[in-house]
Amino acid sequence: MIKFYALPVKEGDSFLLQHNEKSILVDTGKDAKECKILCGSITENLDAVIITHYDADHVNGLYELINSNVKINELWLPENFGRISKTLREKKNSVLQYITKTNTNLGSNLVIAVQSHMGQLLFSMDEVECETKLFQSGNIREKANNLLFSDQRDDSIIVRRMPLPGHYARLNCINITHIQIIDDIVKAAENKNIHIRWLTYKNEIMHNQIDNSLDLFGLNCEQVNQISEYSDDDEALFYLTQINKESFVFLFENKDMPNVLFSADSGFQFLGKKKLPQLKNYSIITAPHHGSTDKLNRNVYTLVNGINLIYIRSDKLSPKRPCSEYKQQNNKYCTYCNTNSKGPVQVELTFDGETWVTNNMLCSCI
């Protein structure tokens, strides 16, 4: 028997899969406490907790879960968690000393800095160094050109546009509080002696079984054994902006059961021009990026093959989600839609050997 839960964590993803007395949790939602409460009501033991990427609405609940009464056998984390934590521990003082020598005048010059609302700076590059390191380096320039622009916010990376021939430099927001949460998670796991498997993103289809005792395969990631700090500030800034682009995708695969495809926030760029192999009848797919209308996420629906597929969507409603491709699916459930006027509800499905059994109503998001 296999059971699948979509946990109503208010905002973000959190899915629990139980099979052969094994419990696997994929992501922990944005609320700090919801995940630990919901998980604790279902199981006292998690064989693996997997974080697909380090966006807040997938990871924020992990710290409280680690420190709860739910036993966690091991964590599967993006290697950037370890690199962020290691960089903060080993280079923070030198980085802060470096920043004091940097021009941080937020005028018309391009200034990139991670700054808290109290004025504490973590990483910074002034205009001269940006020109030298970021834009005159071909490799870094190519990376920078692909990043998204975000306006200045509290507790975030501060970006001032600098005109380049025909375009602007673009960088994502980075929240310093979120960076600290990641460091706190790693420290909490170490304090509880929880085994951590570090995973790295691969922009190609991999199909790696990370743990031979679990029927779960990483489709675009592989395990790494060594974690190193970021080599310099621009490398750290770049990788801290790759949140949704490097989202892991996992596939549950057992000969006697339907598949479960954990799409997270991926646009499945790793497939290139390929499609996924056909999924089994009645397989479950978590809606990519909560059913986002983003072009890459919408494209996922055309890359998935199978009969009687079941889509599960988490997160709240918004003008940008769910997309029409999700709405067109016949078999779909969500933790929050217009049938649930009292708020988010838990989705629970049990496979009885022939089909999925549930008391949940079909999603009617419109």
Side-chain angles (χ1 to χ4, degrees):
M1 185 178 71
I2 180 173
K3 298 191 77 170
F4 177 92
Y5 301 85
L7 303 181
V9 288
K10 297 180 181 177
E11 185 174 352
D13 274 358
S14 189
F15 302 109
L16 178 62
L17 183 68
Q18 292 184 315
H19 174 58
N20 285 346
E21 299 182 352
K22 300 281 187 177
S23 294
I24 303 168
L25 181 71
V26 179
D27 290 328
T28 59
K30 188 171 185 177
D31 187 274
K33 297 182 179 180
E34 283 292 316
C35 186
K36 75 169 184 179
I37 296 170
L38 295 165
C39 269
S41 68
I42 298 171
T43 181
E44 296 179 350
N45 182 79
L46 291 168
D47 293 276
V49 176
I50 301 168
I51 299 299
T52 58
H53 61 296
Y54 52 105
D55 208 352
D57 61 351
H58 292 253
V59 71
N60 272 19
L62 181 54
Y63 180 79
E64 290 286 346
L65 182 64
I66 289 173
N67 289 295
S68 72
N69 293 326
V70 177
K71 180 184 177 183
I72 300 173
N73 291 349
E74 63 181 46
L75 292 172
W76 298 8
L77 300 178
E79 66 165 337
N80 281 334
F81 273 56
R83 298 190 73 187
I84 289 169
S85 185
K86 194 172 181 67
T87 300
L88 288 180
R89 296 182 206 185
E90 299 191 10
K91 287 191 172 183
K92 186 171 183 179
N93 289 336
S94 63
V95 170
L96 291 175
Q97 290 174 5
Y98 161 76
I99 288 169
T100 61
K101 301 175 183 178
T102 302
N103 173 22
T104 56
N105 175 29
L106 300 181
S108 59
N109 293 340
L110 175 65
V111 179
I112 301 176
V114 177
Q115 179 178 6
S116 75
H117 66 281
M118 297 183 68
Q120 180 188 18
L121 294 173
L122 186 60
F123 298 102
S124 176
M125 293 186 292
D126 65 13
E127 179 182 14
V128 175
E129 289 187 336
C130 281
E131 288 182 320
T132 303
K133 290 185 177 180
L134 193 59
F135 300 114
Q136 293 183 357
S137 167
N139 186 35
I140 298 297
R141 178 189 295 179
E142 180 180 352
K143 293 176 180 179
N145 290 345
N146 292 326
L147 299 176
L148 300 173
F149 177 77
S150 293
D151 293 328
Q152 177 179 346
R153 306 175 192 173
D154 290 340
D155 281 355
S156 63
I157 185 169
I158 297 174
V159 179
R160 285 292 180 270
R161 298 185 179 191
M162 182 176 73
L164 296 176
H167 65 276
Y168 288 93
R170 298 183 174 187
L171 284 169
N172 258 345
C173 251
I174 302 170
N175 188 301
I176 193 172
T177 304
H178 185 51
I179 292 172
Q180 190 60 57
I181 288 172
I182 290 173
D183 186 36
D184 290 343
I185 286 169
V186 175
K187 290 176 181 176
E190 291 173 349
N191 289 338
K192 281 209 163 186
N193 295 316
I194 299 173
H195 177 63
I196 300 177
R197 293 181 187 267
W198 300 111
L199 305 180
T200 188
Y201 175 82
K202 306 294 289 186
N203 194 29
E204 58 183 310
I205 189 161
M206 301 298 293
H207 201 262
N208 284 321
Q209 189 172 12
I210 309 300
D211 182 341
N212 292 333
S213 69
L214 300 176
D215 296 321
L216 201 66
F217 294 79
L219 297 189
N220 61 350
C221 58
E222 65 181 7
Q223 187 170 348
V224 294
N225 297 319
Q226 187 173 355
I227 297 295
S228 60
E229 71 272 10
Y230 293 110
S231 60
D232 52 36
D233 299 336
D234 44 330
E235 182 190 18
L237 285 166
F238 168 69
Y239 282 107
L240 290 173
T241 60
Q242 298 304 288
I243 290 177
N244 290 337
K245 294 184 180 181
E246 297 190 351
S247 179
F248 299 152
V249 175
F250 293 94
L251 180 68
F252 171 80
E253 199 168 30
N254 180 282
K255 65 178 183 178
D256 300 320
M257 300 291 173
N259 300 119
V260 178
L261 179 64
F262 296 95
S263 300
D265 285 3
S266 177
F268 284 44
Q269 301 94 317
F270 62 91
L271 289 177
K273 295 183 179 180
K274 299 178 182 178
K275 285 191 175 184
L276 284 175
Q278 182 158 323
L279 300 177
K280 293 181 182 179
N281 197 17
Y282 293 111
S283 289
I284 287 176
I285 303 163
T286 64
H289 206 168
H290 326 287
S292 171
T293 55
D294 180 84
K295 182 178 179 180
L296 282 174
N297 298 123
R298 293 171 66 179
N299 190 48
V300 171
Y301 297 87
T302 67
L303 300 175
V304 176
N305 299 295
I307 301 173
N308 296 322
L309 299 178
I310 301 170
Y311 280 85
I312 310 291
R313 195 187 82 87
S314 65
D315 205 45
K316 57 191 176 183
L317 292 171
S318 76
K320 293 186 176 181
R321 54 182 78 157
C323 61
S324 59
E325 287 80 359
Y326 169 84
K327 295 175 186 177
Q328 292 167 5
Q329 304 302 318
N330 293 324
N331 299 318
K332 58 185 183 293
Y333 300 89
C334 80
T335 59
Y336 202 111
C337 72
N338 60 352
T339 62
N340 305 322
S341 59
K342 294 183 179 179
V345 296
Q346 184 164 289
V347 175
E348 180 179 340
L349 295 91
T350 302
F351 190 73
D352 64 3
E354 295 183 3
T355 188
W356 292 97
V357 178
T358 182
N359 290 326
N360 291 96
M361 298 173 63
L362 285 170
C363 171
S364 58
C365 287
I366 56 174

